Amino acid sequence: MCWMCDARAALSGRRGFLRAATAAAGASALAPVWGQVQVGQPSALRSLVPAAQLESAASQQYAQLLAEARAKGALAPEGHPQLRRLRAIAQRLVPHALPWNERARQWRWEVNLIGSKQINAFCMPGGKIAFFTGILDQLQLNDDEAAMVMGHEMAHALREHARSRIAKTQATGLGLSLGAQLLGLGDLGRLAADLGTQLLSLKFSREDETEADLVGLELAARGAYDPRASVALWQKMAQVAGGNGLEFLSTHPSGPSRIRDLEANIPKVEALYEQARRAG
């Protein structure tokens, strides 16, 4: 089934989503922040990789991915019901991003859907989100579960896990430390751009995954999505995984400890969820 659509209509719809998300994010800057889950401080090593350059590289890779999907007739058009559903979820989550990363104020959030059997989704540095139809269809995700996936992926970008992971890898390889900032970071800046092509296959640490789970849990709860869906999501993931080596699980390992951590943190965000739900 071909999903090619009128380019002008697609651009108009995408701009409409960006305007709505940006306006909501601006309003959230005045909202009180309370009841947050507890996560550690972001890695100081991430400062070795210029955020703007990595976000620019991510944006270029994202555009290339969309262009390839469009050429194959696999990019969902603006009116596709699943795409509209994902963008509606994003509009409820994006306003709660700023407390986690001030840079998100400058991000041009974007959500797209690609027709593929892959069980996968991601959010690249700078707020570029994509879902594959496989994760929605094969897991039969309801809105709450899809929000948990999106919140988790947004959290990776907000906590700058890709930036930290690249910095740690390159600093180790080049024998660098934070003191390298005094010597100039032109080489690492170029590395950030080059490594942008590897963002989709980047594997995060167990600590990164835990942080993304917890921050994503809170983002979704503040967006009025049931935090208990986080447990249901990973239970579904475990059921379909089997020995198939799912793409999503290659970069997002599952396990009983993950579910236990989520269960322990659900009570911390339940009040946020109930407040958001009552506010409509």
Side-chain angles (χ1 to χ4, degrees), residues 8-24 78 87 91 108-111:
R8 185 175 300 171
L11 182 59
S12 175
R14 190 165 291 117
R15 283 175 175 166
F17 168 75
L18 289 169
R19 283 196 297 268
T22 302
E78 297 301 309
R87 288 183 175 172
Q91 285 180 347
R108 293 181 60 81
W109 293 90
E110 193 167 340
V111 180

PDB file of all heavy atoms in Angstrom, residues 8-24 78 87 91 108-111:
ATOM      1  N   ARG A   8       2.867  19.368  -0.442  1.00  0.00           N
ATOM      2  CA  ARG A   8       2.476  20.622   0.184  1.00  0.00           C
ATOM      3  C   ARG A   8       1.590  20.363   1.394  1.00  0.00           C
ATOM      4  O   ARG A   8       1.757  20.987   2.444  1.00  0.00           O
ATOM      5  CB  ARG A   8       1.742  21.502  -0.831  1.00  0.00           C
ATOM      6  CG  ARG A   8       1.388  22.887  -0.293  1.00  0.00           C
ATOM      7  CD  ARG A   8       0.782  23.745  -1.382  1.00  0.00           C
ATOM      8  NE  ARG A   8       1.725  23.892  -2.487  1.00  0.00           N
ATOM      9  CZ  ARG A   8       1.396  24.443  -3.651  1.00  0.00           C
ATOM     10  NH1 ARG A   8       0.175  24.868  -3.879  1.00  0.00           N
ATOM     11  NH2 ARG A   8       2.302  24.566  -4.603  1.00  0.00           N
ATOM     12  N   ALA A   9       0.668  19.445   1.276  1.00  0.00           N
ATOM     13  CA  ALA A   9      -0.212  19.117   2.402  1.00  0.00           C
ATOM     14  C   ALA A   9       0.584  18.515   3.541  1.00  0.00           C
ATOM     15  O   ALA A   9       0.347  18.792   4.718  1.00  0.00           O
ATOM     16  CB  ALA A   9      -1.309  18.147   1.955  1.00  0.00           C
ATOM     17  N   ALA A  10       1.564  17.667   3.202  1.00  0.00           N
ATOM     18  CA  ALA A  10       2.382  17.042   4.231  1.00  0.00           C
ATOM     19  C   ALA A  10       3.162  18.091   5.007  1.00  0.00           C
ATOM     20  O   ALA A  10       3.253  18.052   6.233  1.00  0.00           O
ATOM     21  CB  ALA A  10       3.347  16.031   3.599  1.00  0.00           C
ATOM     22  N   LEU A  11       3.760  19.059   4.264  1.00  0.00           N
ATOM     23  CA  LEU A  11       4.536  20.099   4.927  1.00  0.00           C
ATOM     24  C   LEU A  11       3.663  20.949   5.815  1.00  0.00           C
ATOM     25  O   LEU A  11       4.031  21.309   6.934  1.00  0.00           O
ATOM     26  CB  LEU A  11       5.240  20.964   3.882  1.00  0.00           C
ATOM     27  CG  LEU A  11       6.147  22.074   4.412  1.00  0.00           C
ATOM     28  CD1 LEU A  11       7.241  21.478   5.280  1.00  0.00           C
ATOM     29  CD2 LEU A  11       6.746  22.864   3.264  1.00  0.00           C
ATOM     30  N   SER A  12       2.461  21.267   5.332  1.00  0.00           N
ATOM     31  CA  SER A  12       1.538  22.075   6.127  1.00  0.00           C
ATOM     32  C   SER A  12       1.160  21.368   7.415  1.00  0.00           C
ATOM     33  O   SER A  12       1.149  21.967   8.494  1.00  0.00           O
ATOM     34  CB  SER A  12       0.277  22.387   5.314  1.00  0.00           C
ATOM     35  OG  SER A  12      -0.669  23.070   6.100  1.00  0.00           O
ATOM     36  N   GLY A  13       0.858  20.082   7.335  1.00  0.00           N
ATOM     37  CA  GLY A  13       0.494  19.325   8.520  1.00  0.00           C
ATOM     38  C   GLY A  13       1.633  19.223   9.500  1.00  0.00           C
ATOM     39  O   GLY A  13       1.453  19.333  10.711  1.00  0.00           O
ATOM     40  N   ARG A  14       2.860  19.030   8.977  1.00  0.00           N
ATOM     41  CA  ARG A  14       4.017  18.901   9.848  1.00  0.00           C
ATOM     42  C   ARG A  14       4.292  20.208  10.564  1.00  0.00           C
ATOM     43  O   ARG A  14       4.605  20.248  11.741  1.00  0.00           O
ATOM     44  CB  ARG A  14       5.223  18.465   9.012  1.00  0.00           C
ATOM     45  CG  ARG A  14       6.431  18.070   9.839  1.00  0.00           C
ATOM     46  CD  ARG A  14       7.458  17.313   9.006  1.00  0.00           C
ATOM     47  NE  ARG A  14       6.965  16.002   8.637  1.00  0.00           N
ATOM     48  CZ  ARG A  14       6.742  15.610   7.393  1.00  0.00           C
ATOM     49  NH1 ARG A  14       6.968  16.424   6.393  1.00  0.00           N
ATOM     50  NH2 ARG A  14       6.300  14.398   7.134  1.00  0.00           N
ATOM     51  N   ARG A  15       4.142  21.342   9.839  1.00  0.00           N
ATOM     52  CA  ARG A  15       4.350  22.642  10.473  1.00  0.00           C
ATOM     53  C   ARG A  15       3.299  22.894  11.538  1.00  0.00           C
ATOM     54  O   ARG A  15       3.573  23.482  12.574  1.00  0.00           O
ATOM     55  CB  ARG A  15       4.304  23.745   9.412  1.00  0.00           C
ATOM     56  CG  ARG A  15       5.581  23.838   8.567  1.00  0.00           C
ATOM     57  CD  ARG A  15       5.429  24.854   7.468  1.00  0.00           C
ATOM     58  NE  ARG A  15       6.675  25.027   6.732  1.00  0.00           N
ATOM     59  CZ  ARG A  15       6.763  25.657   5.561  1.00  0.00           C
ATOM     60  NH1 ARG A  15       5.679  26.161   5.008  1.00  0.00           N
ATOM     61  NH2 ARG A  15       7.926  25.794   4.969  1.00  0.00           N
ATOM     62  N   GLY A  16       2.073  22.433  11.259  1.00  0.00           N
ATOM     63  CA  GLY A  16       1.013  22.606  12.242  1.00  0.00           C
ATOM     64  C   GLY A  16       1.331  21.876  13.529  1.00  0.00           C
ATOM     65  O   GLY A  16       1.116  22.394  14.618  1.00  0.00           O
ATOM     66  N   PHE A  17       1.868  20.664  13.410  1.00  0.00           N
ATOM     67  CA  PHE A  17       2.252  19.904  14.608  1.00  0.00           C
ATOM     68  C   PHE A  17       3.360  20.616  15.361  1.00  0.00           C
ATOM     69  O   PHE A  17       3.328  20.746  16.572  1.00  0.00           O
ATOM     70  CB  PHE A  17       2.718  18.498  14.226  1.00  0.00           C
ATOM     71  CG  PHE A  17       3.398  17.791  15.371  1.00  0.00           C
ATOM     72  CD1 PHE A  17       2.659  17.284  16.425  1.00  0.00           C
ATOM     73  CD2 PHE A  17       4.778  17.677  15.404  1.00  0.00           C
ATOM     74  CE1 PHE A  17       3.278  16.649  17.488  1.00  0.00           C
ATOM     75  CE2 PHE A  17       5.400  17.053  16.467  1.00  0.00           C
ATOM     76  CZ  PHE A  17       4.650  16.540  17.498  1.00  0.00           C
ATOM     77  N   LEU A  18       4.353  21.124  14.627  1.00  0.00           N
ATOM     78  CA  LEU A  18       5.469  21.791  15.283  1.00  0.00           C
ATOM     79  C   LEU A  18       5.020  23.043  16.002  1.00  0.00           C
ATOM     80  O   LEU A  18       5.450  23.328  17.114  1.00  0.00           O
ATOM     81  CB  LEU A  18       6.543  22.143  14.242  1.00  0.00           C
ATOM     82  CG  LEU A  18       7.323  20.959  13.666  1.00  0.00           C
ATOM     83  CD1 LEU A  18       8.147  21.412  12.478  1.00  0.00           C
ATOM     84  CD2 LEU A  18       8.227  20.363  14.727  1.00  0.00           C
ATOM     85  N   ARG A  19       4.101  23.828  15.380  1.00  0.00           N
ATOM     86  CA  ARG A  19       3.618  25.042  16.026  1.00  0.00           C
ATOM     87  C   ARG A  19       2.879  24.711  17.306  1.00  0.00           C
ATOM     88  O   ARG A  19       3.050  25.364  18.335  1.00  0.00           O
ATOM     89  CB  ARG A  19       2.707  25.818  15.071  1.00  0.00           C
ATOM     90  CG  ARG A  19       3.448  26.599  13.991  1.00  0.00           C
ATOM     91  CD  ARG A  19       2.533  27.615  13.356  1.00  0.00           C
ATOM     92  NE  ARG A  19       1.415  26.972  12.680  1.00  0.00           N
ATOM     93  CZ  ARG A  19       1.410  26.620  11.403  1.00  0.00           C
ATOM     94  NH1 ARG A  19       2.490  26.828  10.668  1.00  0.00           N
ATOM     95  NH2 ARG A  19       0.352  26.046  10.856  1.00  0.00           N
ATOM     96  N   ALA A  20       2.033  23.692  17.250  1.00  0.00           N
ATOM     97  CA  ALA A  20       1.255  23.318  18.432  1.00  0.00           C
ATOM     98  C   ALA A  20       2.157  22.821  19.549  1.00  0.00           C
ATOM     99  O   ALA A  20       1.991  23.180  20.714  1.00  0.00           O
ATOM    100  CB  ALA A  20       0.233  22.235  18.066  1.00  0.00           C
ATOM    101  N   ALA A  21       3.142  22.003  19.208  1.00  0.00           N
ATOM    102  CA  ALA A  21       4.044  21.458  20.227  1.00  0.00           C
ATOM    103  C   ALA A  21       4.899  22.551  20.841  1.00  0.00           C
ATOM    104  O   ALA A  21       5.128  22.582  22.047  1.00  0.00           O
ATOM    105  CB  ALA A  21       4.940  20.377  19.608  1.00  0.00           C
ATOM    106  N   THR A  22       5.374  23.494  20.012  1.00  0.00           N
ATOM    107  CA  THR A  22       6.210  24.576  20.520  1.00  0.00           C
ATOM    108  C   THR A  22       5.435  25.488  21.438  1.00  0.00           C
ATOM    109  O   THR A  22       5.918  25.912  22.487  1.00  0.00           O
ATOM    110  CB  THR A  22       6.808  25.386  19.351  1.00  0.00           C
ATOM    111  OG1 THR A  22       7.569  24.511  18.521  1.00  0.00           O
ATOM    112  CG2 THR A  22       7.705  26.506  19.859  1.00  0.00           C
ATOM    113  N   ALA A  23       4.195  25.809  21.053  1.00  0.00           N
ATOM    114  CA  ALA A  23       3.370  26.672  21.888  1.00  0.00           C
ATOM    115  C   ALA A  23       3.092  26.024  23.233  1.00  0.00           C
ATOM    116  O   ALA A  23       3.153  26.656  24.283  1.00  0.00           O
ATOM    117  CB  ALA A  23       2.053  26.981  21.170  1.00  0.00           C
ATOM    118  N   ALA A  24       2.798  24.728  23.213  1.00  0.00           N
ATOM    119  CA  ALA A  24       2.524  24.024  24.463  1.00  0.00           C
ATOM    120  C   ALA A  24       3.765  23.954  25.336  1.00  0.00           C
ATOM    121  O   ALA A  24       3.700  24.097  26.553  1.00  0.00           O
ATOM    122  CB  ALA A  24       2.019  22.606  24.161  1.00  0.00           C
ATOM    123  N   GLU A  78      -0.093  12.572   6.054  1.00  0.00           N
ATOM    124  CA  GLU A  78      -0.586  13.366   7.173  1.00  0.00           C
ATOM    125  C   GLU A  78      -1.897  12.842   7.742  1.00  0.00           C
ATOM    126  O   GLU A  78      -2.123  12.923   8.940  1.00  0.00           O
ATOM    127  CB  GLU A  78      -0.760  14.821   6.735  1.00  0.00           C
ATOM    128  CG  GLU A  78       0.534  15.491   6.321  1.00  0.00           C
ATOM    129  CD  GLU A  78       1.558  15.494   7.444  1.00  0.00           C
ATOM    130  OE1 GLU A  78       1.211  15.907   8.567  1.00  0.00           O
ATOM    131  OE2 GLU A  78       2.700  15.084   7.202  1.00  0.00           O
ATOM    132  N   ARG A  87       0.924  11.747  16.939  1.00  0.00           N
ATOM    133  CA  ARG A  87       1.159  13.183  17.102  1.00  0.00           C
ATOM    134  C   ARG A  87       0.295  13.759  18.223  1.00  0.00           C
ATOM    135  O   ARG A  87       0.722  14.697  18.915  1.00  0.00           O
ATOM    136  CB  ARG A  87       0.909  13.911  15.784  1.00  0.00           C
ATOM    137  CG  ARG A  87       1.999  13.632  14.758  1.00  0.00           C
ATOM    138  CD  ARG A  87       1.831  14.396  13.474  1.00  0.00           C
ATOM    139  NE  ARG A  87       2.975  14.165  12.586  1.00  0.00           N
ATOM    140  CZ  ARG A  87       3.036  14.588  11.345  1.00  0.00           C
ATOM    141  NH1 ARG A  87       2.018  15.273  10.812  1.00  0.00           N
ATOM    142  NH2 ARG A  87       4.107  14.350  10.599  1.00  0.00           N
ATOM    143  N   GLN A  91       1.852  15.716  21.462  1.00  0.00           N
ATOM    144  CA  GLN A  91       1.419  17.042  21.885  1.00  0.00           C
ATOM    145  C   GLN A  91       1.102  17.091  23.374  1.00  0.00           C
ATOM    146  O   GLN A  91       1.130  18.166  23.981  1.00  0.00           O
ATOM    147  CB  GLN A  91       0.200  17.477  21.060  1.00  0.00           C
ATOM    148  CG  GLN A  91       0.568  17.885  19.642  1.00  0.00           C
ATOM    149  CD  GLN A  91      -0.623  18.327  18.822  1.00  0.00           C
ATOM    150  OE1 GLN A  91      -1.767  18.124  19.213  1.00  0.00           O
ATOM    151  NE2 GLN A  91      -0.361  18.929  17.678  1.00  0.00           N
ATOM    152  N   ARG A 108      12.876  21.496  17.334  1.00  0.00           N
ATOM    153  CA  ARG A 108      11.714  21.444  16.441  1.00  0.00           C
ATOM    154  C   ARG A 108      11.220  19.992  16.421  1.00  0.00           C
ATOM    155  O   ARG A 108      11.638  19.185  15.611  1.00  0.00           O
ATOM    156  CB  ARG A 108      12.087  21.927  15.036  1.00  0.00           C
ATOM    157  CG  ARG A 108      12.439  23.407  14.988  1.00  0.00           C
ATOM    158  CD  ARG A 108      12.791  23.874  13.597  1.00  0.00           C
ATOM    159  NE  ARG A 108      11.691  23.668  12.662  1.00  0.00           N
ATOM    160  CZ  ARG A 108      10.649  24.484  12.544  1.00  0.00           C
ATOM    161  NH1 ARG A 108      10.557  25.560  13.334  1.00  0.00           N
ATOM    162  NH2 ARG A 108       9.691  24.247  11.669  1.00  0.00           N
ATOM    163  N   TRP A 109      10.358  19.693  17.379  1.00  0.00           N
ATOM    164  CA  TRP A 109       9.859  18.330  17.538  1.00  0.00           C
ATOM    165  C   TRP A 109       9.140  17.875  16.270  1.00  0.00           C
ATOM    166  O   TRP A 109       8.416  18.653  15.638  1.00  0.00           O
ATOM    167  CB  TRP A 109       8.902  18.260  18.715  1.00  0.00           C
ATOM    168  CG  TRP A 109       9.554  18.485  20.044  1.00  0.00           C
ATOM    169  CD1 TRP A 109       9.716  19.681  20.688  1.00  0.00           C
ATOM    170  CD2 TRP A 109      10.144  17.497  20.901  1.00  0.00           C
ATOM    171  NE1 TRP A 109      10.373  19.493  21.887  1.00  0.00           N
ATOM    172  CE2 TRP A 109      10.643  18.171  22.042  1.00  0.00           C
ATOM    173  CE3 TRP A 109      10.289  16.118  20.805  1.00  0.00           C
ATOM    174  CZ2 TRP A 109      11.275  17.504  23.089  1.00  0.00           C
ATOM    175  CZ3 TRP A 109      10.922  15.461  21.846  1.00  0.00           C
ATOM    176  CH2 TRP A 109      11.407  16.144  22.978  1.00  0.00           C
ATOM    177  N   GLU A 110       9.346  16.630  15.943  1.00  0.00           N
ATOM    178  CA  GLU A 110       8.709  16.067  14.749  1.00  0.00           C
ATOM    179  C   GLU A 110       8.396  14.596  15.009  1.00  0.00           C
ATOM    180  O   GLU A 110       9.180  13.884  15.633  1.00  0.00           O
ATOM    181  CB  GLU A 110       9.651  16.209  13.549  1.00  0.00           C
ATOM    182  CG  GLU A 110       8.986  15.949  12.211  1.00  0.00           C
ATOM    183  CD  GLU A 110       9.844  16.396  11.038  1.00  0.00           C
ATOM    184  OE1 GLU A 110      10.754  17.228  11.240  1.00  0.00           O
ATOM    185  OE2 GLU A 110       9.606  15.903   9.913  1.00  0.00           O
ATOM    186  N   VAL A 111       7.233  14.146  14.544  1.00  0.00           N
ATOM    187  CA  VAL A 111       6.815  12.755  14.700  1.00  0.00           C
ATOM    188  C   VAL A 111       6.397  12.212  13.343  1.00  0.00           C
ATOM    189  O   VAL A 111       5.586  12.837  12.641  1.00  0.00           O
ATOM    190  CB  VAL A 111       5.641  12.611  15.686  1.00  0.00           C
ATOM    191  CG1 VAL A 111       5.236  11.140  15.814  1.00  0.00           C
ATOM    192  CG2 VAL A 111       5.996  13.189  17.044  1.00  0.00           C
TER     193      VAL A 111
END
